[in-house]
Amino acid sequence: MRVSIGLVLVFVFLCGCGGGATVKGKVTFEDGSPLTQGAVKFVTETTEATGDIKSNGTYTLFENKPGDGITPGKYAVTVTAVTGGGSDGAPVVNLVDSKFANPATSGLSCEVKGSMTYDIKVSKPE
């Protein structure tokens, strides 16, 4: 009996440690064209989830590793995308307005209650 209770507790622990909500979406500019690179971050005081933006503008968030999802809660949202700054000495150029890089100025927020789609519109730098 002792072994079976231990196995049940291990199973419950393992099942409870993964499988957050799946949050995905698409990042587009005001004209509807996709942002083709960069990252989306959902942040709170204690949690951060990120997703790389693919060439078609889509992203899927994760907290620790791809596929693990995100903890439900209220998040501030940021979008960053730059080009340049490599070893060739090219200058760093923001592809989106720099306000989107800061959770206090992005104007983006999302309450995650379960798996969902969250599409984001951004503007180009002025």
mmCIF file of all heavy atoms in Angstrom, residues 18-39:
data_model
loop_
_atom_site.group_PDB
_atom_site.id
_atom_site.type_symbol
_atom_site.label_atom_id
_atom_site.label_comp_id
_atom_site.label_asym_id
_atom_site.label_seq_id
_atom_site.Cartn_x
_atom_site.Cartn_y
_atom_site.Cartn_z
ATOM 1 N N GLY A 18 3.318 20.900 -15.146
ATOM 2 C CA GLY A 18 3.455 21.355 -16.526
ATOM 3 C C GLY A 18 2.098 21.673 -17.094
ATOM 4 O O GLY A 18 1.083 21.640 -16.425
ATOM 5 N N GLY A 19 2.106 21.960 -18.383
ATOM 6 C CA GLY A 19 0.842 22.098 -19.076
ATOM 7 C C GLY A 19 0.088 23.371 -18.769
ATOM 8 O O GLY A 19 -1.086 23.325 -18.453
ATOM 9 N N GLY A 20 0.763 24.508 -18.856
ATOM 10 C CA GLY A 20 0.063 25.770 -18.681
ATOM 11 C C GLY A 20 -0.834 26.049 -19.874
ATOM 12 O O GLY A 20 -0.960 25.246 -20.798
ATOM 13 N N ALA A 21 -1.456 27.194 -19.881
ATOM 14 C CA ALA A 21 -2.334 27.602 -20.974
ATOM 15 C C ALA A 21 -1.501 27.885 -22.229
ATOM 16 O O ALA A 21 -0.413 28.442 -22.150
ATOM 17 C CB ALA A 21 -3.116 28.845 -20.572
ATOM 18 N N THR A 22 -2.009 27.505 -23.370
ATOM 19 C CA THR A 22 -1.359 27.817 -24.640
ATOM 20 C C THR A 22 -1.851 29.188 -25.102
ATOM 21 O O THR A 22 -3.049 29.392 -25.269
ATOM 22 C CB THR A 22 -1.693 26.757 -25.706
ATOM 23 O OG1 THR A 22 -1.232 25.487 -25.250
ATOM 24 C CG2 THR A 22 -1.044 27.092 -27.034
ATOM 25 N N VAL A 23 -0.911 30.115 -25.262
ATOM 26 C CA VAL A 23 -1.242 31.444 -25.768
ATOM 27 C C VAL A 23 -0.442 31.651 -27.040
ATOM 28 O O VAL A 23 0.781 31.538 -27.043
ATOM 29 C CB VAL A 23 -0.923 32.555 -24.749
ATOM 30 C CG1 VAL A 23 -1.193 33.923 -25.349
ATOM 31 C CG2 VAL A 23 -1.722 32.352 -23.476
ATOM 32 N N LYS A 24 -1.159 31.922 -28.124
ATOM 33 C CA LYS A 24 -0.516 32.172 -29.404
ATOM 34 C C LYS A 24 -1.242 33.303 -30.106
ATOM 35 O O LYS A 24 -2.338 33.704 -29.691
ATOM 36 C CB LYS A 24 -0.508 30.912 -30.258
ATOM 37 C CG LYS A 24 -1.875 30.327 -30.520
ATOM 38 C CD LYS A 24 -1.754 29.002 -31.238
ATOM 39 C CE LYS A 24 -3.121 28.362 -31.399
ATOM 40 N NZ LYS A 24 -3.031 27.098 -32.108
ATOM 41 N N GLY A 25 -0.627 33.821 -31.134
ATOM 42 C CA GLY A 25 -1.255 34.905 -31.867
ATOM 43 C C GLY A 25 -0.393 35.351 -33.020
ATOM 44 O O GLY A 25 0.559 34.668 -33.409
ATOM 45 N N LYS A 26 -0.737 36.508 -33.552
ATOM 46 C CA LYS A 26 -0.015 37.071 -34.691
ATOM 47 C C LYS A 26 0.244 38.547 -34.414
ATOM 48 O O LYS A 26 -0.627 39.253 -33.923
ATOM 49 C CB LYS A 26 -0.842 36.904 -35.972
ATOM 50 C CG LYS A 26 -0.110 37.295 -37.228
ATOM 51 C CD LYS A 26 -0.885 36.882 -38.460
ATOM 52 C CE LYS A 26 -0.063 37.137 -39.714
ATOM 53 N NZ LYS A 26 -0.760 36.662 -40.913
ATOM 54 N N VAL A 27 1.451 38.983 -34.754
ATOM 55 C CA VAL A 27 1.831 40.385 -34.597
ATOM 56 C C VAL A 27 1.843 41.027 -35.982
ATOM 57 O O VAL A 27 2.537 40.559 -36.895
ATOM 58 C CB VAL A 27 3.217 40.527 -33.942
ATOM 59 C CG1 VAL A 27 3.546 42.000 -33.724
ATOM 60 C CG2 VAL A 27 3.285 39.762 -32.625
ATOM 61 N N THR A 28 1.054 42.087 -36.122
ATOM 62 C CA THR A 28 0.971 42.785 -37.399
ATOM 63 C C THR A 28 1.138 44.287 -37.194
ATOM 64 O O THR A 28 0.925 44.814 -36.099
ATOM 65 C CB THR A 28 -0.381 42.537 -38.101
ATOM 66 O OG1 THR A 28 -1.440 42.945 -37.229
ATOM 67 C CG2 THR A 28 -0.547 41.078 -38.483
ATOM 68 N N PHE A 29 1.513 44.943 -38.282
ATOM 69 C CA PHE A 29 1.550 46.396 -38.295
ATOM 70 C C PHE A 29 0.150 46.923 -38.569
ATOM 71 O O PHE A 29 -0.758 46.166 -38.921
ATOM 72 C CB PHE A 29 2.534 46.901 -39.358
ATOM 73 C CG PHE A 29 3.971 46.629 -39.020
ATOM 74 C CD1 PHE A 29 4.667 45.616 -39.657
ATOM 75 C CD2 PHE A 29 4.619 47.382 -38.051
ATOM 76 C CE1 PHE A 29 5.991 45.361 -39.342
ATOM 77 C CE2 PHE A 29 5.938 47.139 -37.722
ATOM 78 C CZ PHE A 29 6.636 46.113 -38.375
ATOM 79 N N GLU A 30 -0.024 48.214 -38.433
ATOM 80 C CA GLU A 30 -1.336 48.846 -38.623
ATOM 81 C C GLU A 30 -1.913 48.599 -40.019
ATOM 82 O O GLU A 30 -3.122 48.563 -40.197
ATOM 83 C CB GLU A 30 -1.233 50.337 -38.333
ATOM 84 C CG GLU A 30 -0.914 50.591 -36.862
ATOM 85 C CD GLU A 30 -0.434 52.012 -36.578
ATOM 86 O OE1 GLU A 30 0.189 52.635 -37.467
ATOM 87 O OE2 GLU A 30 -0.691 52.482 -35.469
ATOM 88 N N ASP A 31 -1.037 48.377 -41.014
ATOM 89 C CA ASP A 31 -1.514 48.126 -42.379
ATOM 90 C C ASP A 31 -1.864 46.654 -42.623
ATOM 91 O O ASP A 31 -2.246 46.275 -43.722
ATOM 92 C CB ASP A 31 -0.493 48.610 -43.412
ATOM 93 C CG ASP A 31 0.824 47.824 -43.383
ATOM 94 O OD1 ASP A 31 0.952 46.849 -42.596
ATOM 95 O OD2 ASP A 31 1.731 48.186 -44.145
ATOM 96 N N GLY A 32 -1.701 45.819 -41.590
ATOM 97 C CA GLY A 32 -2.039 44.400 -41.700
ATOM 98 C C GLY A 32 -0.882 43.498 -42.071
ATOM 99 O O GLY A 32 -1.004 42.272 -42.011
ATOM 100 N N SER A 33 0.257 44.069 -42.451
ATOM 101 C CA SER A 33 1.412 43.237 -42.800
ATOM 102 C C SER A 33 2.036 42.664 -41.522
ATOM 103 O O SER A 33 2.038 43.312 -40.469
ATOM 104 C CB SER A 33 2.446 44.042 -43.588
ATOM 105 O OG SER A 33 2.968 45.098 -42.808
ATOM 106 N N PRO A 34 2.573 41.441 -41.590
ATOM 107 C CA PRO A 34 3.113 40.810 -40.380
ATOM 108 C C PRO A 34 4.486 41.353 -39.995
ATOM 109 O O PRO A 34 5.281 41.721 -40.862
ATOM 110 C CB PRO A 34 3.223 39.337 -40.767
ATOM 111 C CG PRO A 34 3.429 39.360 -42.250
ATOM 112 C CD PRO A 34 2.622 40.543 -42.744
ATOM 113 N N LEU A 35 4.740 41.410 -38.702
ATOM 114 C CA LEU A 35 6.097 41.627 -38.203
ATOM 115 C C LEU A 35 6.787 40.281 -38.373
ATOM 116 O O LEU A 35 6.278 39.261 -37.906
ATOM 117 C CB LEU A 35 6.065 42.060 -36.736
ATOM 118 C CG LEU A 35 7.417 42.253 -36.056
ATOM 119 C CD1 LEU A 35 8.229 43.352 -36.742
ATOM 120 C CD2 LEU A 35 7.220 42.590 -34.579
ATOM 121 N N THR A 36 7.922 40.238 -39.047
ATOM 122 C CA THR A 36 8.513 38.961 -39.461
ATOM 123 C C THR A 36 9.648 38.456 -38.574
ATOM 124 O O THR A 36 10.245 37.431 -38.871
ATOM 125 C CB THR A 36 9.026 39.064 -40.905
ATOM 126 O OG1 THR A 36 10.007 40.110 -40.975
ATOM 127 C CG2 THR A 36 7.881 39.356 -41.868
ATOM 128 N N GLN A 37 9.933 39.152 -37.486
ATOM 129 C CA GLN A 37 10.960 38.708 -36.546
ATOM 130 C C GLN A 37 10.778 39.433 -35.231
ATOM 131 O O GLN A 37 10.002 40.383 -35.141
ATOM 132 C CB GLN A 37 12.360 38.965 -37.095
ATOM 133 C CG GLN A 37 12.694 40.453 -37.237
ATOM 134 C CD GLN A 37 14.042 40.674 -37.871
ATOM 135 O OE1 GLN A 37 14.283 40.217 -38.980
ATOM 136 N NE2 GLN A 37 14.914 41.366 -37.162
ATOM 137 N N GLY A 38 11.469 38.968 -34.196
ATOM 138 C CA GLY A 38 11.400 39.611 -32.895
ATOM 139 C C GLY A 38 10.861 38.678 -31.841
ATOM 140 O O GLY A 38 10.905 37.448 -31.993
ATOM 141 N N ALA A 39 10.341 39.265 -30.760
ATOM 142 C CA ALA A 39 9.835 38.472 -29.644
ATOM 143 C C ALA A 39 8.673 39.180 -28.967
ATOM 144 O O ALA A 39 8.621 40.406 -28.909
ATOM 145 C CB ALA A 39 10.942 38.225 -28.618
#
